[in-house]
Amino acid sequence: MVRRVKTFRCLTFMISLCPNVLGGCYMKQNQNTITYSRIIHLSHIIDIDIPQWPGDPPVEITTVANIPQDGYYLRRFSLGEHSATHINAPKSFHDNGVGIDQYSAESLVLPGVVMDICDTATVNPDYSLTIADVLHWEKEHGKITAGSLVLLHTGWEDKWLNKTAFFNRDAEGIMHFPGFGYDVTQFLLEERQIAGLGIDTHGVDSGQDNSFTINSLVLAQERIVLENLTNLQQLPPKGTTLMIGVLRLRDGSGSPVGVLALVP
């Protein structure tokens, strides 16, 4: 019999307690150590057939150099700033908002908590997270720590390869997928001082909300919004550290991201 031994690794870093993306507000002077046993990708693979928000530019990938002819392999790619697994910057919904290039490094390494509404979303795809859901989660797992990123696991990541199911449009073209409610978002921002929100659907706003209410609310406070996440089912409810790799596009409204989860 082969016995598998879990190996733990440690990473020492500085952590910011400032929830907004400009950082530098409440930087701890002591070092902090992350203990983790595995690292998980939370970003989908980018390809030309991924689900795209209506009106977004298509994903294009073109080979520009080959090893036999050029001695190396190189491709050119093009996609929208809000395509694939991505982060939204305040500039995307607020004229005077900062671009993605202004995000501080410390704002992109932060603790994550996961709330699971998969069963509810299966029955009601229009479901929005509520304050009652958060309080129920806290009763079992403890109060959400300030500076955390709240991830909502809806099960929609399983629909990623089926565009029809992912957007779930009705006969009138209205999309139906779960998201965060307005009251709970205000509660999380004001009462729990979270760093932001993340979700495995194409928007933190539920599918029927075409005014981007939740995005606007979160980004007005210069917090983080992550959309089209994957592998959330592999994360524990709390204890994970997230590392968000952005493309520092000058004045960018957002960016495709590589998100890594360091799981204890």
Side-chain angles (χ1 to χ4, degrees), residues 3-153:
R3 176 175 295 177
R4 297 182 180 274
V5 179
K6 181 178 288 189
T7 302
F8 291 92
R9 299 173 176 85
C10 291
L11 175 66
T12 301
F13 73 114
M14 299 293 289
I15 187 170
S16 172
L17 295 182
C18 179
N20 73 50
V21 298
L22 300 183
C25 294
Y26 307 111
M27 182 67 70
K28 284 185 177 181
Q29 296 305 309
N30 59 303
Q31 291 184 324
N32 294 268
T33 300
I34 304 171
T35 300
Y36 62 96
S37 61
R38 55 199 176 106
I39 304 175
I40 298 171
H41 278 295
L42 300 188
S43 298
H44 286 285
I45 294 172
I46 297 175
D47 206 344
I48 59 173
D49 293 324
I50 62 174
Q52 292 283 84
W53 192 261
D56 277 5
V59 178
E60 298 177 340
I61 303 175
T62 306
T63 300
V64 296
N66 278 303
I67 294 175
Q69 291 82 22
D70 307 291
Y72 63 95
Y73 178 56
L74 176 67
R75 300 190 302 177
R76 176 180 62 246
F77 69 91
S78 172
L79 72 164
E81 292 176 325
H82 295 198
S83 294
T85 303
H86 63 273
I87 187 170
N88 298 339
K91 194 175 186 68
S92 57
F93 294 100
H94 302 283
D95 289 336
N96 297 322
V98 299
I100 193 64
D101 56 310
Q102 297 299 309
Y103 279 46
S104 68
E106 62 264 24
S107 73
L108 300 172
V109 180
L110 67 170
V113 301
V114 182
M115 298 189 182
D116 188 330
I117 61 166
C118 290
D119 292 342
T120 304
T122 298
V123 177
N124 179 13
D126 295 318
Y127 188 77
S128 293
L129 190 74
T130 67
I131 295 175
D133 292 327
V134 172
L135 295 178
H136 178 76
W137 184 94
E138 290 186 328
K139 187 175 181 180
E140 183 174 355
H141 303 291
K143 185 177 178 180
I144 296 171
T145 304
S148 295
L149 191 70
V150 177
L151 306 178
L152 190 58
H153 181 211

Side-chain angles (χ1 to χ4, degrees), residues 129-131 134 144 150 180-197 204-205 213-221 223:
L129 190 74
T130 67
I131 295 175
V134 172
I144 296 171
V150 177
F180 289 86
Y182 185 84
D183 289 343
V184 74
T185 301
Q186 277 195 316
F187 173 81
L188 290 169
L189 291 170
E190 297 172 5
E191 301 298 327
R192 296 297 181 264
Q193 288 293 299
I194 63 165
L197 306 175
V204 291
D205 301 276
T213 305
I214 305 304
N215 260 290
S216 297
L217 179 61
V218 175
L219 295 174
Q221 299 191 32
R223 310 292 172 94

